[in-house]
Amino acid sequence: QSVLTQPPSVSAAPGQKVTISCSGSSSNIGNNYVSWYQQLPGTAPKLLIYENNKRPSGIPDRFSGSKSGTSATLGITGLQTGDEADYYCGTWDSSLSAEVFGTGTKVTVL
Amino acid sequence: EVQLVESGGGLVKPGGSLRLSCAASGFTFSSYSMNWVRQAPGKGLEWVSSISSSSSYIYYADSVKGRFTISRDNAKNSLYLQMNSLRAEDTAVYYCARDRGFSRVAPWGQGTLVTVSS
């Protein structure tokens, strides 16, 4: 089982905002950068956020990331039907010497 | 364009072996660490292994340690995963992904399906 905990699902109407939490510990989130990935149905994951709050080129500013202590948060504003996907947080765990991913959160646009 | 293309997946019996390959193009392969990440059907992402640019540093998930071996050939722009003593729980789509440091993993290949079943 994953060392990073995310809510199984979140949902909101088009145009609204959702936030996804990622809870870890001092050996992972607390002392390392966090990334977020989007996995659309039937496709490979894609990097959305890196180094806690930076967006790769091409990722709209509707997506944002933050980190506080041993938790991180992904925010999506102006929700669109195309945002329906699974979202994963990821970071390095210094105690495990392993990359770790969150349990994943399914975003549904109502 | 940066591209990663996995191959080598398929159906294998428990206890069998399989070697996955990942062909990289569009970037200086020898400058980057690389990862293998897997996803069991209907499940989340699970990191499997990573290898540094010169193969000096190699890491494995506890679930595959002693059974899987990651390697690379920088002259051929290729990443490999030798999987031995395969188990049913190794059934998954295996993704090859470039590591840009500080958990910045991008891009990912399209994946190759490994099915372990008798």
Side-chain angles (χ1 to χ4, degrees):
Chain A
Q1 51 273 35
S2 176
V3 298
L4 303 180
T5 303
Q6 300 178 229
S9 63
V10 297
S11 60
Q16 297 301 301
K17 174 182 179 179
V18 295
T19 59
I20 300 170
S21 61
C22 176
S23 178
S25 68
S26 58
S27 65
N28 42 67
I29 292 177
N31 284 284
N32 293 292
Y33 284 117
V34 177
S35 294
W36 288 91
Y37 303 89
Q38 177 193 58
Q39 187 175 31
L40 297 169
T43 69
K46 180 175 81 170
L47 180 67
L48 269 187
I49 298 288
Y50 67 98
E51 291 181 12
N52 303 334
N53 55 19
K54 298 178 181 176
R55 283 175 288 107
S57 59
I59 301 300
D61 59 7
R62 300 188 299 105
F63 295 91
S64 64
S66 64
K67 188 183 97 167
S68 178
T70 58
S71 293
T73 301
L74 173 71
I76 310 173
T77 59
L79 204 59
Q80 302 175 359
T81 55
D83 297 332
E84 287 201 331
D86 293 321
Y87 293 82
Y88 296 90
C89 55
T91 187
W92 181 256
D93 190 296
S94 305
S95 294
L96 298 175
S97 291
E99 188 74 20
V100 290
F101 292 100
T103 48
T105 299
K106 183 175 183 60
V107 169
T108 300
V109 181
L110 301 172
Chain B
E1 179 195 3
V2 175
Q3 197 168 11
L4 298 169
V5 179
E6 301 93 336
S7 61
L11 175 63
V12 61
K13 290 181 168 53
S17 298
L18 213 54
R19 189 196 196 205
L20 306 183
S21 299
C22 172
S25 60
F27 65 102
T28 305
F29 179 73
S30 59
S31 296
Y32 291 89
S33 294
M34 298 293 294
N35 295 282
W36 286 103
V37 179
R38 68 184 181 183
Q39 186 170 35
K43 302 298 185 182
L45 302 175
E46 180 188 15
W47 171 82
V48 172
S49 181
S50 66
I51 185 169
S52 63
S53 57
S54 61
S55 304
S56 297
Y57 299 96
I58 289 175
Y59 302 94
Y60 296 100
D62 286 344
S63 57
V64 306
K65 205 170 291 183
R67 300 187 299 123
F68 291 10
T69 302
I70 192 173
S71 63
R72 63 190 297 162
D73 185 334
N74 288 341
K76 294 183 177 179
N77 291 339
S78 293
L79 176 72
Y80 306 102
L81 186 68
Q82 177 66 44
M83 303 186 296
N84 299 330
S85 303
L86 282 162
R87 307 166 179 167
E89 54 264 37
D90 295 319
T91 294
V93 173
Y94 285 72
Y95 295 102
C96 156
R98 184 177 67 173
D99 193 327
R100 303 192 67 177
F102 299 122
S103 295
R104 184 181 176 184
V105 180
W108 300 53
Q110 86 288 348
T112 187
L113 176 62
V114 172
T115 303
V116 184
S117 175
S118 54

